[in-house]
């Protein structure tokens, strides 16, 4: 059994979970919740960076980060499934990089309030991160993926938009009707998207 260290709210962990579902591998993965803030969590011995997701293989080796894990899962499923052969591979991987970058920028904005005192909050830094997301949204609105795309790029993008819904009250939806429609189509075709949605406790 593979072990996935993740947490319910992690957008990168969600990417791995959806990838596993699309590839028919969910049954081979046990999810063990990790607390990235707990120095006592053995996550830090599994991944020195202390980040999730991390995938523990049968031989005890650990894979990270999410891009490596989804590539491993694709290989496990026979290859060429969610990471298509070249040259399409490079388009899918670039979209994944863009979506991962959106998630990084969103997470950094959240950490700015989580890890810093209000007096240390640096609006310029937060705006710098927000700009990355705004520009990515503009680019993607001009040319969204195909409605039936289920490659790593599409999966990562769905997770990025889902994270903006979760942490930024879905404000991205205003002004991006094509992306809104795309996410709806993605969710309809990949049930794991709704199944992995994190709903914060009331
Ligand atoms: N590039 C990494 C990013 C993973 C990441 O940022 N994970 C966040 C949670 S979603 C995390 O572990 N944060 C804790 C930390 O940065 O210490 C990936 O693709 O897996």
């Amino acid at each position: 059994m593979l072990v996935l260290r993740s947490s319910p709210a992690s957008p990168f962990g969600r990417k791995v979970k959806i990838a596993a579902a699309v590839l028919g591998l969910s049954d081979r993965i046990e999810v063990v919740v990790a607390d990235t803030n707990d120095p006592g969590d053995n996550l830090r011995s599994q991944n020195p960076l202390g980040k999730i997701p991390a995938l523990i293989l049968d031989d005890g080796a650990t894979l990270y980060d999410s891009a490596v894990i989804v590539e491993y899962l694709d290989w496990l499923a026979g290859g060429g499934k969610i990471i298509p052969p070249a040259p399409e591979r490079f388009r899918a991987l670039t979209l994944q990089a863009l979506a991962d970058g959106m998630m990084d920028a969103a997470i950094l904005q959240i950490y700015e309030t989580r890890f810093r005192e209000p007096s240390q909050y640096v609006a310029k830094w937060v705006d710098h991160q927000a700009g990355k997301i705004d520009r990515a949204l503009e680019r993607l609105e001009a040319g969204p993926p195909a409605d039936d795309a289920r490659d790593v790029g599409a999966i990562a993008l769905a997770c990025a938009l889902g994270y903006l819904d979760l942490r930024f009250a879905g404000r991205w939806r205003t002004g991006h009707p094509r992306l809104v429609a795309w996410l709806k189509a993605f969710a309809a075709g990949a049930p794991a998207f709704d199944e992995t949605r994190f709903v914060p406790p009331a």
Side-chain angles (χ1 to χ4, degrees):
M1 197 74 164
L2 301 165
V3 173
L4 177 67
R5 302 303 311 278
S6 189
S7 79
S10 166
F12 290 101
R14 189 180 192 187
K15 180 171 82 163
V16 171
K17 290 171 190 169
I18 295 173
V22 168
L23 292 166
L25 295 173
S26 302
D27 290 351
R28 294 179 62 176
I29 300 176
E30 177 192 0
V31 179
V32 176
V33 172
D35 181 351
T36 57
N37 293 321
D38 178 5
D41 191 310
N42 69 344
L43 171 70
R44 293 180 186 193
S45 61
Q46 294 166 326
N47 174 1
L49 301 175
K51 288 189 170 199
I52 52 173
L55 187 74
I56 322 302
L57 307 186
D58 293 336
D59 65 1
T62 305
L63 299 185
Y64 42 83
D65 58 5
S66 65
V68 176
I69 297 172
V70 295
E71 180 160 355
Y72 174 78
L73 295 179
D74 189 63
W75 171 78
L76 208 56
K81 301 217 160 47
I82 58 169
I83 303 180
E88 188 61 11
R89 168 188 175 89
F90 301 110
R91 187 211 51 78
L93 291 178
T94 301
L95 178 56
Q96 175 182 224
L98 182 62
D100 284 2
M102 293 168 72
M103 293 192 273
D104 283 334
I107 287 170
L108 284 173
Q109 291 179 67
I110 297 299
Y111 286 177
E112 187 69 12
T113 50
R114 192 175 292 171
F115 285 95
R116 290 193 205 278
E117 299 303 322
S119 62
Q120 298 173 316
Y121 182 90
V122 181
K124 193 175 174 187
W125 171 248
V126 172
D127 290 348
H128 186 69
Q129 299 307 324
K132 297 174 192 290
I133 297 174
D134 291 346
R135 291 190 298 275
L137 287 171
E138 192 180 334
R139 176 71 56 87
L140 291 160
E141 176 70 12
D147 279 356
D148 61 352
R150 300 290 174 269
D151 60 35
V152 284
I155 293 169
L157 176 57
C159 294
L161 297 176
Y163 193 66
L164 295 180
D165 275 336
L166 173 66
R167 297 294 190 216
F168 298 86
R171 287 191 291 276
W172 69 272
R173 290 172 177 270
T174 303
H176 303 102
R178 295 179 76 195
L179 270 184
V180 170
W182 176 80
L183 185 60
K184 196 173 173 194
F186 179 90
F193 182 72
D194 283 333
E195 289 161 11
T196 55
R197 186 190 312 278
F198 172 67
V199 182

